[in-house]
Amino acid sequence: MSELSMRTSAFTHGESIPEKYTCEGDDVSPELTVADVPDDAAALAVVVDDPDAPAGTFTHWLLWNLPADTVEIPEGVPRRETVPDLGDAKQGENDFGDVGYRGPCPPEGDGPHEYRFTLYSLDERLDADAGALRPEVQDELDAKTLDSDQFTGTFARV
C-alpha cells in the first residue's frame, strides 16, 4: 500500500474551511499538494463532497485525468470543462449545476457540515466526458482506483 497523500495549505485536516473557499467568500478552490503517487498510476482524480447535506451527499467538485506526476493543483482552478494548465484534466458538473469547483454552502443555521477532499490514483485515465455528472465519474473511479487519500474540513453558515 502506498502512502498517497493530498493536503492543502489553506486549512488543517478536520478544521474550519476559510471563507475564501466558500459561497460566503470568493468561492475558489484551495491549493492542493499531492505526494507519493504510486509509480504505476496513469492519472489522478479529485472529488470534493458534503456527506452531511440534507438531501444526501452533495458533490462540490469533480476533477479527473490529472497527470500522474502532478504535485500541486493551484488555488482557483478555472471553472472550465478542460483545464489546459493541468494536463487537459477534465471537470464535471457539481450538484449546483455548474462545471468545476463550488465551495461549501450549507443551509444557514444547519450547523457545521463536513467536506471531504478525496484524491484518487488511477490505473488508467477515466473515459468520462468533460462535464459528466458524479454517477458516471464515480462508476469509473470505482473500477480504476489504485489508492486514495482524504482530508476533511468543516463549514457552517449562521
Side-chain angles (χ1 to χ4, degrees):
M1 179 106 177
S2 79
E3 295 300 319
L4 177 71
S5 71
M6 177 176 69
R7 291 291 177 260
T8 180
S9 58
F11 58 93
T12 303
H13 169 64
E15 299 295 319
S16 182
I17 297 171
E19 191 172 276
K20 175 179 187 178
Y21 306 104
T22 75
C23 68
E24 302 270 298
D26 296 336
D27 209 11
V28 295
S29 59
E31 166 271 331
L32 300 171
T33 303
V34 175
D36 298 318
V37 174
D39 291 339
D40 54 350
L44 302 172
V46 175
V47 174
V48 178
D49 62 14
D50 170 9
D52 300 325
T57 300
F58 191 96
T59 301
H60 286 265
W61 198 16
L62 297 168
L63 174 66
W64 69 92
N65 291 352
L66 290 153
D69 61 357
T70 299
V71 293
E72 183 180 68
I73 300 166
E75 180 179 282
V77 172
R79 291 189 182 123
R80 309 169 46 169
E81 289 192 351
T82 304
V83 187
D85 291 349
L86 293 173
D88 288 333
K90 295 180 179 353
Q91 295 190 99
E93 185 178 310
N94 58 46
D95 287 340
F96 290 101
D98 300 325
V99 166
Y101 176 90
R102 288 289 306 277
C105 198
E108 290 184 10
D110 207 32
H113 285 207
E114 181 179 70
Y115 294 86
R116 301 180 298 198
F117 289 72
T118 308
L119 173 70
Y120 298 89
S121 63
L122 309 169
D123 60 8
E124 58 183 271
R125 292 168 61 89
L126 302 189
D127 294 324
D129 292 330
L133 295 168
R134 175 78 181 260
E136 181 184 348
V137 175
Q138 191 65 53
D139 285 350
E140 287 211 58
L141 286 174
D142 292 345
K144 298 178 179 179
T145 295
L146 292 168
D147 199 2
S148 64
D149 185 48
Q150 183 178 91
F151 69 88
T152 63
T154 61
F155 186 71
R157 295 169 69 207
V158 283

